[in-house]
Amino acid sequence: MDLVIVLRYRKAVTYGLHVLLGALEEHETPVRYDVRFAVTPEDTAEEIEAALSVAPRVLVLWSFYSPDAEALAAELATIRSRVDSPRVRHVAGGVHATAEPVQTLDAGWDVAAVGEGETTLLALVDAAGDPAGVPGLVYRDATGAVVKTGRPARLPLDTFRGFSLRWQRFNALEITRGCLYSCRFCQTPFMFSARFRHRGVANVRWHVDQMRARGMRDVRFITPTALSYGTDGEEPNLAAVEELLATCKEGIGPEGRVFFGSFPSEIRPEHVSREALRLVRRYCANTNIIVGAQSGSDRILDAAKRGHGVEEVRRATRLGIAEGFTINVDMIFGMPGESPDDVASSLALARELADLGARIHAHTFMPLPGTPWRDAPPGEVDPETISAVDRLSQRGALYGHWRKQQDHASRLATAARQYPRPGRSRTLPIVD
């Protein structure tokens, strides 16, 4: 055995690890390796100890979102207190490591994987775990100097499997990577580029066939904007969407179900039309749709570069309800530059949509690394807004982890101050 790969396997981020496994299972390499899964910190330490007894090098793969970075760093410290060795390399990947590689190294990881991880992992395995010269990595050399090997190549989505057959690890299928809208609060376009790359229909069908053959009956999709499937621009390509949905419905069979525009994806409000909604109804099982509104203030929507206004949100909600769907509307409170009037507009829109029958999915703004609003103040929700949001929640018209996100926002803002990025602020001043 030349190498053991230990996955710190957390439920919140299994998709990214499954994609890496899907790429690995088709890869031919002279390196003899084994893959092991660890679902707790204790398991991780035990798997590392066991791996050190059979292989000269161990890679521990981590993937996490920015709000979880602090907690995972504490977990890493606990694991290192139990077992630590120069033969072990802890590798962090995902959006946080991509946006803040030096911060990630300072938090205790040996290597930060930057950008898309498939080709990076394959090259790292070919090198038996040695990061030198492997594209897509940031690490410190023997002198402590930071080494950056450059971003890995961005390949077509069809290049790699969307889940793992060898290790039997399945998930919602990523059909689009990247996003041309580049909203200032979102990490997706700044990790994967501000353009769409779509998985081909034939490739999607192959995955659906594999799922059905193994007894799975639900097909779900990962995409930043569901009705952008098949297009390179801002206008939906409904013919491409119908081809996708029809082939998935056929592939999963009469006992199977297809879900589109519901978790873990959403639909932009300006893309909602009767024709699109009726396509979803014809081929899909979901009776709910997620619409990304984010604010009830046109001023804030413009500042966030959303590319739509409040009226499109109203229209999408009315159309969706008229067509028989439950509409879940994402809204973010505490956006940068938000004035009392902007907050009042968002609350008024939330009440208006709730009265129509929609449910509001509430968030608190978090200054996420890698975004233009990374250095913005953390989102704060004033007492009056909290009371108004609570009243909607008591009606059953609002849900979400917006309270917990306030704490995340404060921690992210503190970390950003500790790692300053000089440059022009892209936030709006508050209007009195």
Side-chain angles (χ1 to χ4, degrees):
M1 187 75 63
D2 302 311
L3 178 70
V4 172
I5 302 169
V6 177
L7 274 61
R8 175 60 186 95
Y9 195 73
R10 300 169 53 243
K11 184 177 180 181
V13 290
T14 55
Y15 160 71
L17 296 175
H18 294 177
V19 169
L20 295 179
L21 292 174
L24 188 59
E25 67 189 32
E26 292 190 284
H27 183 60
E28 295 184 5
T29 180
V31 174
R32 298 170 302 157
Y33 68 89
D34 189 20
V35 173
R36 302 178 182 182
F37 298 84
V39 297
T40 67
E42 294 73 23
D43 289 344
T44 307
E46 290 173 6
E47 290 291 358
I48 294 170
E49 288 176 332
L52 285 170
S53 68
V54 297
R57 188 163 288 167
V58 180
L59 288 180
V60 186
L61 303 187
W62 302 68
S63 182
F64 49 87
Y65 301 117
S66 294
D68 298 326
E70 184 176 321
L72 269 294
E75 181 180 303
L76 172 61
T78 299
I79 292 169
R80 283 193 184 278
S81 70
R82 281 195 51 182
V83 54
D84 203 9
S85 166
R87 293 160 51 200
V88 179
R89 284 197 174 95
H90 291 270
V91 182
V95 289
H96 186 79
T98 295
E100 301 286 352
V102 175
Q103 188 183 127
T104 300
L105 299 182
D106 288 350
W109 282 273
D110 300 299
V111 181
V114 174
E116 302 180 23
E118 294 97 331
T119 56
T120 297
L121 176 62
L122 301 186
L124 195 55
V125 169
D126 288 344
D130 185 352
V134 173
L137 298 179
V138 179
Y139 59 94
R140 285 195 167 89
D141 64 17
T143 70
V146 174
V147 177
K148 299 180 179 181
T149 63
R151 285 197 177 234
R154 292 186 173 118
L155 301 177
L157 279 193
D158 290 3
T159 305
F160 302 111
R161 291 176 178 174
F163 46 59
S164 171
L165 301 183
R166 175 179 173 184
W167 286 282
Q168 295 290 295
R169 305 286 169 157
F170 299 92
N171 46 262
L173 184 64
E174 184 183 28
I175 56 172
T176 300
R177 185 176 290 184
C179 183
L180 62 80
Y181 291 99
S182 301
C183 302
R184 284 179 165 167
F185 53 79
C186 180
Q187 291 176 308
T188 296
F190 303 99
M191 177 172 177
F192 296 125
S193 82
R195 66 182 183 88
F196 295 127
R197 279 179 291 151
H198 306 294
R199 191 178 294 276
V201 170
N203 187 271
V204 173
R205 175 59 183 267
W206 180 88
H207 285 82
V208 172
D209 290 345
Q210 298 302 316
M211 293 169 65
R212 183 179 180 183
R214 288 160 178 78
M216 284 168 277
R217 292 294 177 262
D218 287 355
V219 179
R220 299 179 188 271
F221 304 108
I222 297 172
T223 166
T225 159
L227 283 171
S228 292
Y229 179 78
T231 184
D232 293 327
E234 295 184 5
E235 290 298 317
N237 182 345
L238 293 186
V241 172
E242 181 166 17
E243 183 184 7
L244 170 76
L245 297 180
T247 195
C248 288
K249 179 64 176 173
E250 178 184 62
I252 202 63
E255 302 302 318
R257 302 185 299 176
V258 178
F259 296 84
F260 186 82
S262 59
F263 183 82
S265 65
E266 66 176 39
I267 293 176
R268 289 181 61 86
E270 73 272 28
H271 290 173
V272 175
S273 65
R274 291 193 189 279
E275 185 180 0
L277 292 168
R278 288 173 183 179
L279 277 181
V280 175
R281 180 188 293 166
R282 186 179 311 150
Y283 296 106
C284 302
N286 51 296
T287 58
N288 70 90
I289 284 175
I290 301 174
V291 173
Q294 316 313 351
S295 177
S297 163
D298 282 322
R299 192 182 79 95
I300 294 298
L301 291 175
D302 287 344
K305 299 295 184 185
R306 275 294 293 170
H308 66 79
V310 174
E311 193 52 43
E312 285 92 336
V313 177
R314 290 192 178 97
R315 179 179 173 277
T317 303
R318 292 190 190 107
L319 271 176
I321 291 171
E323 290 296 323
F325 289 94
T326 298
I327 303 299
N328 294 266
V329 182
D330 276 341
M331 296 193 72
I332 304 173
F333 294 93
M335 293 271 250
E338 208 172 50
S339 71
D341 285 346
D342 296 319
V343 176
S345 295
S346 287
L347 288 172
L349 180 65
R351 285 190 289 264
E352 176 186 341
L353 300 184
D355 289 343
L356 290 173
R359 297 188 72 214
I360 308 302
H361 187 192
H363 305 266
T364 298
F365 168 75
M366 296 184 289
L368 295 172
T371 72
W373 279 355
R374 177 236 196 218
D375 296 311
E380 293 184 4
V381 184
D382 63 78
E384 289 185 9
T385 303
I386 289 173
S387 296
V389 168
D390 282 343
R391 286 193 293 272
L392 284 169
S393 180
Q394 289 162 9
R395 287 174 51 185
L398 182 144
Y399 64 102
H401 298 295
W402 61 274
R403 290 183 185 274
K404 183 183 295 185
Q405 288 167 351
Q406 287 189 94
D407 296 333
H408 291 324
S410 295
R411 288 197 296 272
L412 290 170
T414 298
R417 289 192 295 271
Q418 293 169 345
Y419 291 82
R421 298 278 181 87
R424 180 173 59 86
S425 172
R426 293 185 175 91
T427 61
L428 280 179
I430 295 175
V431 175
D432 295 328

